[in-house]
Amino acid sequence: MRTQLFIRAAAPLLWLSCLMYSTTAATAEADSEQQFGDWSKRCVAGDAPNSSACHIYQRVVVEGEGDNEKAVQLSLGYSPDESNPVAVIRMPLGLWLLNGITLAVDDIPGQRFPVQVCASAGCQTTLRLEPEMVDTLKNGQQLFITTYNVRREAVRVPLSLDGFAQALDTLQAN
């Protein structure tokens, strides 16, 4: 069965998206960070005592280095009062936006999504992951994010799913 992801615009998604964006910036300091295979978990202390916001992520450099590097990053977390995780995909500028992005796990056919916003820091898509997709990711070996450059050529970025299930399980325990 084809994996379904659903895009919903809601305030909790914006909150989580802002959290993931701010905590993945190069200058941000995480209160704690753990490694699970190829996935990292980052937590930042909240304003209330004993509260923190956590997400897991993987960042893949697709081109360049230093100030000129272009990277794709996938972050997942839970927004308040939500049972399904939210994924934020950040990509570099220079995309052919009309083709959007395609997500595929292993040899399962991919599904296309629009790029929602581009700003000076890059382009971003936010998706709420349904349980079927979460299971597919937990049991998969590799996630492929396909974008298109300005020459309309496909750029396929592989992300390892090694450690994904364990990392996500620790988020659910928070």
Side-chain angles (χ1 to χ4, degrees):
M1 178 184 284
R2 186 168 179 174
T3 302
Q4 296 293 316
L5 297 176
F6 296 97
I7 301 172
R8 298 180 194 153
L13 296 179
L14 294 175
W15 169 84
L16 186 64
S17 176
C18 290
L19 168 71
M20 290 178 188
Y21 176 78
S22 66
T23 60
T24 57
T27 58
E29 290 292 327
D31 291 336
S32 69
E33 190 156 342
Q34 293 175 283
Q35 196 69 33
F36 300 91
D38 293 322
W39 288 80
S40 299
K41 176 182 175 185
R42 181 174 285 166
C43 296
V44 177
D47 293 332
N50 298 323
S51 71
S52 64
C54 301
H55 70 276
I56 62 172
Y57 68 96
Q58 186 176 146
R59 185 171 185 272
V60 176
V61 175
V62 293
E63 175 181 311
E65 58 184 54
D67 291 339
N68 295 320
E69 84 177 9
K70 293 184 178 186
V72 172
Q73 179 170 308
L74 173 63
S75 301
L76 281 94
Y78 289 90
S79 57
D81 303 319
E82 293 289 331
S83 60
N84 294 345
V86 175
V88 177
I89 303 167
R90 294 189 57 221
M91 299 152 287
L93 293 173
L95 300 179
W96 180 256
L97 298 177
L98 294 179
N99 287 357
I101 64 169
T102 302
L103 301 180
V105 176
D106 298 331
D107 59 355
I108 298 172
Q111 188 172 359
R112 186 178 289 179
F113 298 95
V115 175
Q116 293 171 321
V117 66
C118 290
S120 60
C123 297
Q124 180 172 300
T125 294
T126 303
L127 310 167
R128 182 182 317 264
L129 302 182
E130 295 299 324
E132 180 184 323
M133 180 58 174
V134 173
D135 289 342
T136 300
L137 290 167
K138 282 184 168 185
N139 295 310
Q141 299 295 309
Q142 200 154 42
L143 170 68
F144 296 97
I145 299 174
T146 303
T147 64
Y148 299 84
N149 63 25
V150 293
R151 294 180 302 277
R152 301 180 194 178
E153 300 165 333
V155 178
R156 191 171 191 208
V157 180
L159 279 83
S160 167
L161 293 172
D162 177 44
F164 176 84
Q166 184 182 8
L168 189 61
D169 288 346
T170 68
L171 273 185
Q172 291 173 322
N174 282 352

